[in-house]
């Protein structure tokens, strides 16, 4: 093995030393790239390293202690496997515990990039073959008869749309609030955008990192040209202003809204090299050909990124923590992917800005507020810095809007089509006026929102930043515009315009994607930016919040059926009408998967213990997936921690060792084999201890990464739009917001509850089997233990069955977990919250977990969110009641309760919608917080696996976010097919 | 009167047994013996034992525990029902639920308690509880007590009946507590009815006429239902005869679409039932056929509704 590896590395070194075409990659704007990579076997039988220094590559049989990154392989088979895979698959080895990585992952990516320069052609052929094999496997395995009828069934749902009655008191202008007469066919412009969205491949955009890196290279990062240490906020603000002034102002062809998130159309991938950007380094040569969600990238752009990335290898959140805190345990745990994922290595974006303030005052108004605040004599130097930085960023945003106005004017002057010319001229006026000044019309408000949205993503990673209560905030502008119209026909025309404008806004939201390295396709499959929009519910005064814009947004949601923006509907039992609920269900039925529905009252109950003001609670909106943020005043970073509860549970089964990772990580809490547990509570305590250990570690990492943000990427622009920050004169990364929390999500509640129930019933209560016997069966993945598996599956009442004992156990677990988090304080001085949704981690974590006492087999997905197991009860109503009876106070970061409803082929359209309404309403009445339906049969999903080309727009809800089914990895697709389904 | 009243199943979340979301209580025992019975385990009033081969893991626990040697892999239905004494020890021993007890004795209050768990869904959907079977009127007193109890809890009640009952008792005991009657008519010709359902249909037809006569001024509604059984009830002459009969007696009719899902149920309870390989009984009903059936009733001015 030593010989082969050495030969490989020596060949690599030789090629880089002699071939000028390769040698050029050893040097960037900052000089030679100096780094070293080690390869070794756990048993010590292999040790090799390659070092690149000052333009020379050399190989050694030793790994020096200061080697940048070391790949530790579990055995020699896995080393051989590495030699046979493409760069995009390299990180998959970590995921499956075939390799452990010590050190800076960016250098592994650089090493992969170099490998791909040597083997690029071969890799491309390998990928092409894999994709072909995959496609024929799907056709063979999942082809079902009669697929035309299946495809048609979903399209037919758009026929016979229901008409609405005007029953909501704040719906003022829509005679038929359901807007049943409109379909996508009424809006050819939008139809074209939609077609582009589904047919054109996204491209990686280098603009943001290029301009920022340019500025930092000229002006320094840690210290300036004179060697004086930078104040991070000022540095960030100046670089940001430079970016905004110099980025290309683009008006998307035929759009009603000016500005784009990237320089690529229709969709660009934004790169944040201070976050996870360098993760794509190794894939620059293959990302175009990978099976899932490929991006285009030109050779030239790949070279640009290679040059940029070298600047950032050590200037990112992870490496800041690794270097400053000496590679802490909490970081090593995170880097095994299976215990928890701390999102701050990517961004802090899960929040909602104060858009009403932006629309009311304009950026100029906010600047005046800052100016006034700057005059305060009590200001510390830190306050002055923070406030000054905010102002600088606001100047950048105004500059960008001005450039857009200029671009619109250039386009208008050369435009031949008189209608379009007029639109462009209108955009000149709009971009000249907003977002600098207050908005006065719906067109101005929507454009101001979009320009600021683009600007926010130039500062913050596009992951989970959310749009908030657009219906509440846009209604005044719509109402004002309508009020200025006197004739009936003009009003009708304006309503159509409002639908088209909002549809443009939604489609603008699809103009960017987060950077997903291939491993992300397996961890967060099919996810986009998750820009949540929230509609309905109560107003801040506690009145009925459903208005004209609520229904316009719902119409757009229905017509487009796109994954992002992620539409979330609040429903207040007290204030909102049944007609509104029925419309939510109809849109859900037509689109298959959206909106997700929340109970206003029960989400409010979950937030009550925080002591927020009641009017602030009433202003909550979903963030990223489902999590509540109090709009415009709350840094809740609601997606901070994704915790694998099953990992803790497996560690409890194994006295602190995680079996798949083979790591003695947790505290010693007792051995089942040695008979350490004499009561159920003994074992519960063991689980609790392991769980608390992992939570403590995740919290520690989250706090360290939070500090990294204040140094590497403070966010003055976002701060200017979060209430509290200007008043306190403090950046939001340092606690400037009025409310500060950090949100966790805990994955595997049903699996852990059911496993504990099995242990309780079969081992301790009924004494049917011994704990050691059960453990043996679990360790053997139930192979050779069919009787135990049958007992487990049939003799234990589990969560979702309507059994009070299992429900009480689930409540005991959520209370415990909530308590663990609640003891901690985050970096910004706020509390941690606990949620129970899973994004797509129930599949990823499932694939890395062994069998469970619940009878779930090794590698299988957990249930999504906190959804009960499919076998819990034949009666769906039991599921609903059990989830509804979980105590909201322990779930203050919300939940995701997924239900698959399977309509019959001869669907009774309105009956189906009515049944959906009844489920949701009863669930809310009984205390449920959130519910989301996929209205689709397993047969349709199977057909989509075999014929993805026919289902490009098939939308599914994963756990909190939406995705196109065909963009998901195979495990996720299977999970959706096998998910609990009920006929309707 | 039987000593115990057996419940086949209490099934929640039914969307096909009346308006709204409903919970259906299936009572065991039926006076008819329809060839196509979709719940063959509901025919006999007494308890039975069932075996589902697909669930069996071959662990042998049942064979070991059986005191009468009634279980054997070599027996066609696994259970030799001649030898079986229905002690159900094997059912308790079976870890995989392949062996099951058909028919649970439950009291009125036990049933009510279980049904009431779903009440919030009845309230939000306009649903309620449905008595089905078997034939729920077979033990009229028990059915009446159940319905009366449901009414005390203000539940919407529906009874699905084959019509083979004592009219006087039905009027006195059931009608006061029922909101809707789903009344099954199968074959209009008496001989045919005898052949396929095991009894004459004169009682059934008479009872329907009597109920239809008073239905207009009653607090309850009655909806006749006809199952569409391939080549038996769905023949044009039968449907024409039924349509003629129903004209002026019913404003609505519900046609039950045939499905073949019941075919493997018989072997589980040890009953022989074979349909030939090319029988239409193995197929789902075709949409164009449904249109045709419906037209026969629509021509007579009877509205076809979904049940």
């Amino acid at each position: 093995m030593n010989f082969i590896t050495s030969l490989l590395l020596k060949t690599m070194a030789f090629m880089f030393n002699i071939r000028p075409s390769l040698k050029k990659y050893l040097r960037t704007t900052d000089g030679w790239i100096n780094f070293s990579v080690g390869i070794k076997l756990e048993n010590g039988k292999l040790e090799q390293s390659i070092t690149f220094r000052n333009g020379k590559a050399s190989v050694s049989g030793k790994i020096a202690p200061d080697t940048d990154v070391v790949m530790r392989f579990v055995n020699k088979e896995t080393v051989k496997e590495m030699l046979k895979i493409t760069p995009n698959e390299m990180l998959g080895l970590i995921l499956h515990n075939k390799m452990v990585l010590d050190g800076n992952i960016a250098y592994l990516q650089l090493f992969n990039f170099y490998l791909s320069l040597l083997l690029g052609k071969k890799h491309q052929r390998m990928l092409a073959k894999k994709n072909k094999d995959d496609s024929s496997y799907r056709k063979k395995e999942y082809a079902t008869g009669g697929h035309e009828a299946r495809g048609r069934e979903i399209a037919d749902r758009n026929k016979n749309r229901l008409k609405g009655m005007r029953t909501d008191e704040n719906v003022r202008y829509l005679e038929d609030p359901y807007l049943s007469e409109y379909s996508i066919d009424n809006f050819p412009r939008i139809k074209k955008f939609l077609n582009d969205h589904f047919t054109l491949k996204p491209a990686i955009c280098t603009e943001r990192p290029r301009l920022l890196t340019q500025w930092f290279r000229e002006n320094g990062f840690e210290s300036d040209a004179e060697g004086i240490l930078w104040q991070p906020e000022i540095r960030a603000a100046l670089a940001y202003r430079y970016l905004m002034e110099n980025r290309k102002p683009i008006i998307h062809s035929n759009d009603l809204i000016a500005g784009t998130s990237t320089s690529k159309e229709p969709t660009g991938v934004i790169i944040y090299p201070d976050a996870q950007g360098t993760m794509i380094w190794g894939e620059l040569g293959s990302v175009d050909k990978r099976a899932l969600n490929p991006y285009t990238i030109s050779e030239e752009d790949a070279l640009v990124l290679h040059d940029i990335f070298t600047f950032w290898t050590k200037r990112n959140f992870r490496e800041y923590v690794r270097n400053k805190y000496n590679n802490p345990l909490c970081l090593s745990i995170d880097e095994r992917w299976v215990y928890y994922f701390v999102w701050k290595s990517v961004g802090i974006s899960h929040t909602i800005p104060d858009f009403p303030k932006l629309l009311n005052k304009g950026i100029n108004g906010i600047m005046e507020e800052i100016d006034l605040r700057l005059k305060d004599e009590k200001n510390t130097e830190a306050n002055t810095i923070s406030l000054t930085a905010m102002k600088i960023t606001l100047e950048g945003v105004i500059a960008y809007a001005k450039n857009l106005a200029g671009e619109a004017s250039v386009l208008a002057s050369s435009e031949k089509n008189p209608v379009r010319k007029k639109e462009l001229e209108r955009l000149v006026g709009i971009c000249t006026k907003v977002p600098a000044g207050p908005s006065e019309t719906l067109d101005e408000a929507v454009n101001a929102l979009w320009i600021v949205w683009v600007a926010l993503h130039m500062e913050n990673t596009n992951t989970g930043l959310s749009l908030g209560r657009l219906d509440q905030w846009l209604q005044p502008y719509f109402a004002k515009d309508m009020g200025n119209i006197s004739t009936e026909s003009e009003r009708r025309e304006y309503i159509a315009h409002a639908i088209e404008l909002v549809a443009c806004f939604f489609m603008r939201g699809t103009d960017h994607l987060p950077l997903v390295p291939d491993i992300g396709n397996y961890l967060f499959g099919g996810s986009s930016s998750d820009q949540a929009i929230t509609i309905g519910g109560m107003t801040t005064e506690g009145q009925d919040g459903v208005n004209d814009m609520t229904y316009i947004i719902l119409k757009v949601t229905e017509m487009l059926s796109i994954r992002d923006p992620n539409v979330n509907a609040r429903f207040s039992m007290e204030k909102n009408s049944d007609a509104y609920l029925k419309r939510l269900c109809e849109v859900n039925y037509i689109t298959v998967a959206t909106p997700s529905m929340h109970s206003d009252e029960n989400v409010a109950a979950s937030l009550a213990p925080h002591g927020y003001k009641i009017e602030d609670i009433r202003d909550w909106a979903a963030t990223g997936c489902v999590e509540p943020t109090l709009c415009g005043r709350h840094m809740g970073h609601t997606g901070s921690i994704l915790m694998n509860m099953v990992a803790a549970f497996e560690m409890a089964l194994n006295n602190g060792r995680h079996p798949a990772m083979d790591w003695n990580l947790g505290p010693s809490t007792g051995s089942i084999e040695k008979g350490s547990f004499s009561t159920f509570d003994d074992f519960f305590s063991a689980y609790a201890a392991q769980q608390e250990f992992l939570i403590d570690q995740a919290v520690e990492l989250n706090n360290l990464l939070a500090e990294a943000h204040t140094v590497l990427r403070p966010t003055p622009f976002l701060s200017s739009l979060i209430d509290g920050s200007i008043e306190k004169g403090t950046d939001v990364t340092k606690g400037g917001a009025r409310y500060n929390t950090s949100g966790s999500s805990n994955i595997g509640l049903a699996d852990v509850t059911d496993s504990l129930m099995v242990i309780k019933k079969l081992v301790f209560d009924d004494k049917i089997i011994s704990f050691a016997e059960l453990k043996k069966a679990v360790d053997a993945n139930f192979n050779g233990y069919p009787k135990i598996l049958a007992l487990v599956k049939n003799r234990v009442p589990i969560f979702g069955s309507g059994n009070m004992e299992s429900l009480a156990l689930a409540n005991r677990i959520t209370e415990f977990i909530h308590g663990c988090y609640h003891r901690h304080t985050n970096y910004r001085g706020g509390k941690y919250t606990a949620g129970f949704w899973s994004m797509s981690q129930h599949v990823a974590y499932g694939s890395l977990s062994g069998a469970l006492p619940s009878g779930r087999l090794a590698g299988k997905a957990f249930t999504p969110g906190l959804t009960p197991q499919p076998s819990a009860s034949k009666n769906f109503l039991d599921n609903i009641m059990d989830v509804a009876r979980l105590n909201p106070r322990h779930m203050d970061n919300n939940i995701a309760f997924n239900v698959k409803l399977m309509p019959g082929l001869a669907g009774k359209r309105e009956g189906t919608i009515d049944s959906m309404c009844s489920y949701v309403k009863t669930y809310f009445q009984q205390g449920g917080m959130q519910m989301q339906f996929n209205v689709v049969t397993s047969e349709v999903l199977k057909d989509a696996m075999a014929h993805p080309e026919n289902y490009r727009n098939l939308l599914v809800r994963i756990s909190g976010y939406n995705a196109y089914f065909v963009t998901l990895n195979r495990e996720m697709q299977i999970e959706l097919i096998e998910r609990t389904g009920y006929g309707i | 009167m039987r000593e115990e009243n057996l419940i086949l199943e209490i099934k929640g979340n039914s969307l096909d047994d009346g308006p709204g979301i409903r919970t259906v209580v299936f009572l065991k025992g039926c006076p008819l013996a329809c060839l196509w019975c979709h719940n063959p385990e509901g025919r006999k009033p007494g308890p039975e034992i069932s075996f589902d081969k697909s669930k069996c893991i071959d662990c042998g626990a049942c064979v070991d525990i059986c005191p009468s040697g009634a279980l054997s892999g070599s027996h066609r239905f696994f259970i030799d029902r001649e030898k079986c004494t229905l002690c159900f020890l094997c059912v308790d021993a079976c870890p995989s639920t392949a062996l099951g007890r058909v028919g649970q004795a439950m009291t009125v209050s036990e049933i009510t308690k279980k049904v009431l768990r779903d009440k919030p869904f009845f309230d939000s959907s306009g649903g309620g509880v449905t008595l089905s079977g078997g034939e729920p009127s077979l033990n009229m007193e028990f059915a009446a007590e159940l319905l009366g109890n449901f009414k005390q809890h203000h539940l919407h009640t529906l009874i699905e009946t084959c019509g083979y009952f004592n009219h006087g008792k039905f009027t006195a005991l059931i009608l006061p507590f029922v909101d809707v009657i789903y009344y099954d008519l199968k074959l209009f010709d008496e001989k045919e009815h005898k052949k396929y359902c095991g009894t004459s249909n004169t009682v059934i037809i008479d009872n329907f006429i009597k109920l239809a006569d008073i239905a207009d001024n009653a607090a309850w509604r009655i909806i006749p239902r006809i199952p569409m059984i391939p080549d038996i009830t769905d023949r044009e002459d039968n449907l024409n005869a039924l349509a003629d009969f129903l004209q002026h007696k019913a404003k609505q009719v519900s046609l039950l679409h045939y499905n073949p899902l019941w075919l493997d149920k018989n072997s589980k309870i040890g009953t022989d039932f074979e349909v030939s390989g090319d029988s239409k009984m193995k197929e789902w009903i075709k949409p164009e056929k449904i249109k045709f059936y419906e037209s026969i009733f629509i021509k007579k001015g009877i509205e076809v509704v979904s049940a």
Side-chain angles (χ1 to χ4, degrees), chain A residues 786-787 790-791 794-795 801-802 874-878 880-881 908 915 918-919 921-923 925-926 982-984, chain B residues 9 11-13 15-16 21-23 57 59 61 91-97 117-118 120-121 124-125 306-307:
Chain A
K787 196 171 165 187
L791 285 170
N794 296 303
R795 289 297 170 87
S801 67
K874 276 198 262 180
N875 185 355
F876 172 40
L877 310 185
D878 289 335
I880 296 183
M881 292 298 261
K908 298 169 242 170
S915 297
S918 303
Y919 294 144
K921 207 170 170 185
T922 315
Y923 169 70
Q925 282 165 353
Q926 298 297 313
Y982 294 95
I984 191 165
Chain B
E9 191 190 356
K11 184 178 154 227
N13 193 33
L15 305 175
D16 300 319
I21 297 171
R22 306 190 75 82
T23 297
I57 56 166
C59 69
V91 172
D92 296 336
C94 176
S96 70
T97 67
R117 291 206 330 204
D118 297 339
F121 294 92
S124 66
S125 69
S306 62

Side-chain angles (χ1 to χ4, degrees), chain A residues 721-737:
Chain A
L721 289 172
I722 299 275
D723 190 45
S725 225
I726 296 176
E727 193 188 320
K728 292 186 204 169
T730 305
D731 195 90
V732 288
T733 58
K734 291 181 174 166

Side-chain angles (χ1 to χ4, degrees), chain A residues 677-696:
Chain A
F677 306 107
S678 47
T679 65
F680 172 70
D681 280 341
D682 285 351
F683 184 72
F684 188 91
S685 305
Y687 160 66
Q690 302 294 347
Q691 188 66 76
E692 187 165 19
F693 167 77
L694 286 183
I695 289 174
D696 289 351

Side-chain angles (χ1 to χ4, degrees), chain A residues 899-916:
Chain A
V899 179
K900 188 165 80 183
L901 295 177
M902 307 190 291
L905 265 185
K908 298 169 242 170
R909 196 177 186 284
E910 191 165 356
T912 301
I913 293 165
D914 284 338
S915 297
M916 288 169 72

Side-chain angles (χ1 to χ4, degrees), chain A residues 6-19:
Chain A
S6 160
L7 188 70
L8 174 91
L9 292 181
K10 279 184 176 152
T11 312
M12 184 175 182
F14 177 74
M15 301 292 270
F16 273 86
N17 284 332
I18 64 149
R19 280 182 37 189

